[in-house]
Amino acid sequence: MKLSANLQHLRRHCSADSTRLVYLISITMAKKQPEAAAAVDPTGWMVDNDVANFLLLHQKEVLYMCMLGYTFLHGSKVFKAVPKTASVSYKLISMILACTGGGILVPIFLNKVPVPLANDAYPIAILTSFACHYYFPVVAEVMNLSPVVKSLVVVFYELVRAKVVLTFTLAASAAIAPTTFSFPLFGPIMCGTVAGCGGAFLPMNKGLDPITNGLQPPMSSAFVGATLVHLFLNTSLSDGVINAKEKAHLHLALLFITVGLVSAFNMKAAKVKKE
């Protein structure tokens, strides 16, 4: 009798344990299923490749290389614009303002530290590019004569500019409190635009002369890019998008590269003459 009672007790205990085990397994699987479904990213291929890693400047080495291209192209424009008899200090300060104009103005708007003071990599890149232009002007001539070299420099230039526009658009969106809408609308777009072309207006004695004949390509692309990125990230357009920031950054970089190459090689539609 005791043996029979013990066997029945053991069966009940095992049955209760197996029931609890099945219950726990079912709960665990139910929790894992939504997580597995949420992890599927149908557009993940956009950013999960080596080309995207390069365009998004994930590696510091790539970022520094692109900084050199960015400052070198700015230096090419500065040395063409300033008088040949100008002093070295005038050329250097003009180049610093051209390279970091947006990174100076926008942080002042947002009560932040300007880029040339906050990031030592920019002054190093500017000084290196300035030395190349000043002591080896033939390098700039090679760039203008070789479409391949010029294309590479333009790509480097636009990648840095895309990163700057995205960074300051997001920074302004976080710093400016919303008023009329659920998110700040015009402030981040203006900051992103200035970040992408602010150097054209420095020093301040230029006034509005840079836009006398209309917006230059870097100005219009900065405005369009900042607008699209800001609206995408702050509206329902980005709902359900995994890594929305990186994908917006990728498309912004591609837009800037396209506009930059079209502008650099003057690939514009010919004007139709009126009879």
Side-chain angles (χ1 to χ4, degrees):
M1 293 294 293
K2 289 183 180 180
L3 179 62
S4 176
N6 290 335
L7 288 175
Q8 290 180 358
H9 178 73
L10 181 62
R11 287 175 183 173
R12 291 197 195 101
H13 183 70
C14 292
S15 177
D17 287 345
S18 61
T19 303
R20 291 172 187 167
L21 181 61
V22 171
Y23 177 72
L24 290 175
I25 292 174
S26 62
I27 291 178
T28 304
M29 293 300 295
K31 289 182 178 179
K32 287 185 176 180
Q33 284 179 357
E35 293 177 359
V40 177
D41 185 7
T43 58
W45 57 269
M46 293 183 182
V47 294
D48 294 335
N49 56 79
D50 293 336
V51 175
N53 288 334
F54 175 82
L55 297 178
L56 298 177
L57 305 180
H58 283 163
Q59 292 83 14
K60 286 187 177 181
E61 297 81 3
V62 176
L63 175 60
Y64 295 153
M65 178 181 66
C66 291
M67 277 186 180
L68 286 174
Y70 175 82
T71 55
F72 187 84
L73 188 56
H74 265 305
S76 179
K77 298 176 182 178
V78 168
F79 273 76
K80 284 182 181 179
V82 300
K84 293 182 179 180
T85 57
S87 64
V88 177
S89 57
Y90 181 85
K91 293 178 180 178
L92 178 59
I93 299 302
S94 297
M95 186 168 169
I96 293 174
L97 294 177
C99 293
T100 61
I104 293 174
L105 294 175
V106 177
I108 292 175
F109 299 161
L110 302 178
N111 197 24
K112 306 289 184 180
V113 179
V115 169
L117 303 180
N119 189 347
D120 290 334
Y122 273 101
I124 293 173
I126 292 171
L127 291 174
T128 303
S129 297
F130 180 82
C132 289
H133 281 289
Y134 188 77
Y135 294 106
F136 309 102
V138 67
V139 178
E141 296 178 5
V142 171
M143 182 192 72
N144 292 324
L145 291 175
S146 173
V148 176
V149 176
K150 189 174 185 179
S151 298
L152 286 175
V153 174
V154 169
V155 169
F156 295 163
Y157 173 86
E158 296 297 346
L159 289 180
V160 173
R161 205 165 66 91
K163 182 177 179 63
V164 170
V165 170
L166 178 72
T167 299
F168 282 115
T169 301
L170 296 178
S173 180
I176 301 174
T179 53
T180 305
F181 304 99
S182 59
F183 61 93
L185 180 58
F186 294 104
I189 293 175
M190 292 179 183
C191 289
T193 303
V194 173
C197 64
F201 298 94
L202 294 180
M204 291 295 188
N205 60 358
K206 290 183 179 180
L208 298 179
D209 290 345
I211 58 174
T212 301
N213 298 321
L215 294 178
Q216 300 175 14
M219 301 174 185
S220 57
S221 62
F223 172 72
V224 172
T227 302
L228 294 178
V229 166
H230 182 58
L231 293 180
F232 172 73
L233 294 177
N234 289 278
T235 62
S236 59
L237 293 173
S238 59
D239 288 351
V241 179
I242 301 175
N243 293 329
K245 176 185 171 183
E246 288 194 352
K247 292 172 183 176
H249 185 182
L250 177 64
H251 285 80
L252 182 66
L254 293 175
L255 171 65
F256 280 10
I257 291 173
T258 302
V259 175
L261 291 175
V262 169
S263 176
F265 293 99
N266 199 25
M267 295 185 291
K268 300 178 182 178
K271 294 183 179 179
V272 179
K273 295 181 180 180
K274 296 182 179 179
E275 298 181 358

